[in-house]
């Protein structure tokens, strides 16, 4: 078994544990109440045979350990087809801390809404949450990207004409009560669903009134007295079937009109990538093997092939969709002056070529796929004198101002400003995925450890301390170990720096589905850049 497959199997074991949420005992408790679990609900909601494209599965992984952990950040998010319509689904997992909101829960919900807003996709909320996790309220309540931003997005999506349907299938408390009620339509399950600004205990404490939760905010109250909700459902299954019916009756939508023809299979079998892609992040390989495993057979037309060879650019088709590809080349190549260039490093000519290609893709309204395996921009006197900062800035400007959909796949290294230039998370890719081999950091672990060691030794020597070789070795090992943890793909996924960790064989489908989602956007804005230094 290859190293890639070994790491993937290890990730799958962790994923299986995350998907159990709060564990079997809590799952059994939900069933005893007559409720389905969040994953069971999502499964029933989707069209038969459709694959749920989950994102954020590893969110909050190994975080909040003092609070007992929060698998998957207590919420399930992803895309799937409901009655033939691609939708974003957000489902609270009540087996995890009763569906309480941790800081990463809010971040994951906001990412789901961002995907829906950028791609104009309907949103289905399956609400079952005890509200904000109070011990951490200062990290979730007041800031711009905290809990309240979700309701702001509810309002903006409604104004944008993006359908939102919410099902109250459990508790829905306090500020969280606004999410389903700010949606276009809301359903509530009788006997298990409830929604109120303050529960019975708080009501008694605040105003001395004695009232039970069902009378205060149950299904009968809100469908027959207050009129807050629209549909009273007898159970979870009926509720989900009704949502499917409502989605089936949505009106038509305009598309961006991205170019697509009948697809053909890739020239290179993705299952054979292990033979050409080294899991060791320091070994060279030909990125064309990856490209040919993703794009339709013989559809790749390379742009400026002989120029700026540490980045490969070109037009292709992925599952029939017309795309532009910007990929880091990891082979050691010769430039036009006959000088050797290190693979995975962005040189001035590569940055210049990539910037021009990105401008062309925007001019032609062609979505861009970035394949990242980059160690950064070239440094040193020759590069500085040659204007590497100027050319790098030109590429970053083009990426930042790009208006066509950008899909990023991190296959290997993603270091320093190379992460930015190759459309890292800060540059608004519509979707960003990572292979198990991905590593994300400001620089490689070995370089970072040596740099930090030099700083530490210099600091101690200034104080008159003599640092022995043994202490240097111990310090270097400690820094390297910490850095290796932080550059691991699970660390990135737990903080939502990537949407999901995917197997290399899934790359083609993920890109195709991403463009299909982006095609729901009715029109592409006018493309323009700021000042470019040429």
């Amino acid at each position: 078994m290859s190293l890639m497959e070994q790491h993937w199997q290890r990730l799958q074991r962790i994923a299986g544990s995350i998907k159990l949420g709060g564990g079997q005992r809590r799952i059994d408790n939900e069933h005893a109440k007559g409720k389905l679990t969040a994953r069971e609900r999502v499964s029933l909601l989707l069209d038969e045979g459709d694959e749920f494209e989950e994102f954020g599965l590893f969110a909050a992984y190994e975080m909040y350990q003092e609070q007992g952990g929060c698998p998957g950040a207590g919420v399930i998010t992803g895309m799937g087809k409901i009655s033939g319509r691609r939708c974003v689904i957000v489902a609270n997992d009540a087996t995890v801390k009763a569906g309480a909101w941790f800081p990463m829960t809010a971040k994951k919900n906001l990412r789901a809404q961002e995907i829906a807003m950028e791609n104009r996709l309907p949103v289905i909320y399956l609400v079952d949450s005890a509200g904000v996790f109070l011990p951490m309220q200062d990290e979730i309540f007041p800031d711009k990207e905290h809990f309240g931003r979700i309701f702001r997005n509810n309002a903006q999506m409604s104004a944008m004409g993006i359908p939102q349907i919410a099902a109250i299938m459990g508790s829905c408390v306090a500020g969280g009560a606004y999410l389903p009620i700010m949606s276009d339509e809301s359903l509530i399950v009788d006997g298990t669903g409830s929604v109120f600004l303050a529960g019975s205990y708080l009501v008694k404490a605040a105003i001395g009134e004695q009232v039970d939760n069902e009378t205060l905010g149950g299904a009968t109250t809100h469908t027959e007295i207050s009129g807050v909700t629209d549909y009273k459902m007898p159970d979870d299954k009926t509720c989900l079937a009704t949502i499917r019916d409502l989605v089936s009756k949505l009106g038509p939508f305009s598309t961006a009109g991205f170019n697509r023809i009948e697809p053909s299979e890739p020239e290179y079998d993705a299952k054979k990538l292990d033979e050409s892609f080294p899991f060791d992040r320091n070994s060279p390989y030909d990125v064309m093997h990856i490209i040919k495993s993703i794009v339709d057979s013989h559809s790749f037309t390379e742009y400026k092939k002989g120029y700026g060879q540490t980045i490969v650019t070109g037009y292709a088709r992925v599952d029939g969709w017309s795309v532009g590809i910007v990929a880091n080349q990891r082979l050691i190549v010769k430039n036009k002056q006959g000088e050797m260039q290190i693979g995975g490093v962005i040189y001035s000519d590569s940055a210049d070529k990539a910037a021009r290609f990105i401008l062309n893709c925007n001019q032609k309204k062609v979505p861009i796929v970035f394949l990242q395996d980059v160690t950064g921009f070239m440094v040193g006197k020759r590069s500085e004198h040659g204007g590497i900062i100027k050319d790098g800035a030109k590429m970053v400007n083009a990426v930042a101002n790009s208006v066509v959909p950008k899909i990023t796949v991190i296959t290997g290294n993603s270091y320093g400003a190379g992460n930015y230039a190759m459309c890292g998370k800060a540059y608004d890719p519509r979707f960003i995925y990572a292979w198990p081999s991905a590593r994300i950091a400001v620089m490689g672990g070995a370089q970072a450890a040596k740099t930090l060691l030099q700083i530490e030794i210099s600091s101690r020597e200034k104080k008159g301390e003599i640092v022995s070789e043994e202490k240097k070795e111990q310090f270097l090992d400690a820094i390297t170990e910490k850095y290796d943890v932080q550059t691991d793909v699970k660390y990135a996924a737990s903080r939502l720096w990537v949407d999901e960790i995917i197997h290399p064989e899934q790359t083609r489908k993920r890109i195709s589905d991403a463009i299909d989602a982006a095609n729901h956007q009715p029109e592409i804005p006018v493309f323009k850049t700021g000042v470019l230094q040429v």
Side-chain angles (χ1 to χ4, degrees):
M1 185 184 292
S2 68
L3 275 174
M4 179 74 80
E5 199 60 37
Q6 289 177 37
H7 278 73
W8 176 251
Q9 293 300 329
R10 196 173 301 130
L11 286 167
Q12 289 305 99
R13 288 193 290 273
I14 296 170
S17 175
I18 293 171
K19 288 178 180 179
L20 282 175
Q24 192 59 51
R25 184 175 63 83
R26 295 189 181 275
I27 291 172
D28 293 340
N29 288 342
E30 292 299 296
H31 289 163
K33 297 174 186 176
K35 297 166 64 178
L36 299 172
T37 65
R39 291 195 176 274
E40 290 167 341
R41 289 166 177 167
V42 170
S43 180
L44 281 176
L45 192 59
L46 294 174
D47 292 349
E48 187 174 350
D50 185 63
E51 181 183 348
F52 181 56
E53 292 205 354
E54 187 164 359
F55 41 80
L57 174 63
F58 283 84
Y61 175 68
E62 292 190 335
M63 297 174 68
Y64 312 125
Q65 296 303 304
E66 292 182 4
Q67 292 79 22
C70 187
V75 64
I76 298 164
T77 58
M79 287 193 307
K81 288 191 176 179
I82 302 171
S83 297
R85 188 76 169 258
R86 185 176 295 278
C87 298
V88 169
I89 300 170
V90 179
N92 297 115
D93 187 349
T95 70
V96 179
K97 300 289 191 296
W101 289 64
F102 283 68
M104 286 304 301
T105 315
K107 187 173 183 178
K108 188 169 174 178
N109 273 262
L110 288 169
R111 176 58 179 151
Q113 289 184 320
E114 180 180 46
I115 288 172
M117 293 170 80
E118 286 183 335
N119 300 292
R120 303 298 197 274
L121 297 175
V123 188
I124 311 300
Y125 303 103
L126 306 180
V127 186
D128 193 345
S129 172
V132 169
F133 185 69
L134 290 177
M136 303 186 76
Q137 64 84 28
D138 63 319
E139 297 181 47
I140 188 173
F141 171 66
D143 211 341
K144 180 179 179 180
E145 294 187 348
H146 284 178
F147 194 53
R149 186 78 170 184
I150 291 166
F151 317 132
R152 173 263 192 192
N153 287 350
N154 284 142
Q156 290 220 333
M157 279 191 280
S158 184
M160 294 165 68
I162 299 172
Q164 298 174 84
I165 300 172
I168 301 164
M169 309 182 82
S171 297
C172 188
V173 185
Y178 285 106
L179 185 148
I181 310 310
M182 292 188 73
S183 298
D184 300 334
E185 294 181 285
S186 60
L187 306 86
I188 185 168
V189 179
D190 193 18
T192 56
S194 59
V195 55
F196 33 65
L197 294 181
S200 56
Y201 292 125
L202 182 54
V203 167
K204 185 175 181 180
I207 63 175
E209 183 178 59
Q210 185 78 37
V211 61
D212 63 85
N213 283 339
E214 187 64 27
T215 304
L216 186 66
T220 299
T221 294
H222 284 311
T223 56
E224 299 177 17
I225 299 173
S226 70
V228 166
T229 57
D230 306 308
Y231 306 94
K232 181 179 178 180
M233 298 285 106
D235 52 46
D236 280 9
K237 289 184 178 180
T238 306
C239 182
L240 296 166
T242 304
I243 293 173
R244 288 183 50 80
D245 178 66
L246 292 171
V247 172
S248 74
K249 294 181 171 67
L250 291 175
F253 61 92
S254 302
T255 69
F258 295 129
N259 183 314
R260 191 181 197 186
I261 63 172
E262 189 69 26
S264 61
E265 289 300 310
E267 179 182 346
Y268 197 93
D269 187 352
K271 293 179 180 178
K272 295 182 179 179
L273 276 177
D274 285 345
E275 299 172 8
S276 57
F277 180 84
F279 202 87
D280 171 17
R281 298 309 334 116
N282 298 314
S283 299
Y285 65 91
D286 190 350
V287 75
M288 286 305 302
H289 290 153
I290 295 178
I291 292 172
K292 289 181 179 181
S293 75
I294 295 170
V295 307
D296 295 8
S297 180
H298 303 293
S299 68
F300 187 67
T301 304
E302 190 164 357
Y303 174 81
K304 289 185 182 290
K305 182 177 181 179
Y307 178 66
Q309 295 178 67
T310 63
I311 286 182
V312 172
T313 55
Y315 302 102
R317 291 193 181 274
V318 175
D319 196 27
W321 294 105
S322 171
V323 301
I325 291 178
V326 179
N328 299 114
Q329 176 60 282
R330 287 302 303 269
L331 291 176
I332 297 174
V333 298
K334 285 185 178 180
N335 65 12
K336 56 191 175 184
Q337 284 83 32
E339 300 165 332
M340 301 305 294
Q341 294 188 335
I342 302 168
V345 177
I346 302 176
Y347 290 78
S348 284
D349 53 358
S350 300
D352 175 63
K353 175 173 81 170
R356 177 60 183 268
F357 181 72
I358 291 165
L359 297 180
N360 281 342
C361 287
N362 278 273
Q363 186 82 351
K364 298 175 179 180
K365 293 183 169 51
V366 175
I368 306 172
V369 175
F370 291 86
L371 300 176
Q372 272 201 28
D373 191 352
V374 58
T375 53
F377 285 87
M378 191 59 191
V379 297
K381 184 176 74 172
R382 180 189 293 271
S383 293
E384 297 295 355
H385 289 188
I388 185 67
I389 296 175
K390 174 189 68 176
D391 291 315
K394 183 163 53 178
M395 182 177 175
V396 170
N397 191 319
V399 173
N401 285 299
S402 181
V403 294
V404 295
K406 298 170 288 190
I407 299 101
T408 300
V409 182
I410 304 173
T411 63
N413 299 325
S414 180
Y415 294 156
N419 170 281
Y420 302 157
M422 291 295 294
C423 197
K425 185 64 183 289
Y427 287 77
D428 297 324
R430 293 293 180 94
F431 298 90
I432 179 168
Y433 299 114
W435 286 6
S437 46
R439 302 189 76 83
I440 304 171
V442 71
M443 66 177 72
Q447 300 97 310
K450 290 175 183 177
T451 302
L452 291 170
L453 176 63
Q454 291 171 3
I455 294 170
E456 181 68 17
I457 292 171
S458 176
S459 174
R460 293 190 181 195
E461 288 178 343
K462 284 179 181 177
K463 297 174 184 177
E465 183 180 343
I466 298 174
V467 184
S468 68
E469 289 301 317
E470 183 181 357
K471 280 190 176 181
K472 289 179 183 179
E473 196 68 33
Q474 290 174 350
F475 190 72
L476 184 64
D477 288 344
I479 295 173
T480 302
E481 182 180 357
K482 180 180 178 181
Y483 214 82
D484 284 345
V485 169
Q486 292 182 349
T487 58
D488 187 271
V489 69
K490 296 189 295 297
Y491 192 91
S494 71
R495 286 150 181 82
L496 295 179
W497 300 345
V498 297
D499 290 321
E500 198 61 81
I501 305 170
I502 64 171
H503 193 284
E505 292 175 22
Q506 298 173 321
T507 307
R508 175 177 162 89
K509 185 177 188 306
R510 287 281 187 164
I511 292 171
S512 175
D513 288 347
I515 300 173
D516 180 69
N519 200 39
H520 287 64
Q521 182 182 4
E523 61 182 33
I524 302 300
V526 175
F527 175 64
K528 53 186 177 182
T529 64
V531 176
L532 289 177
Q533 293 195 43
V534 295

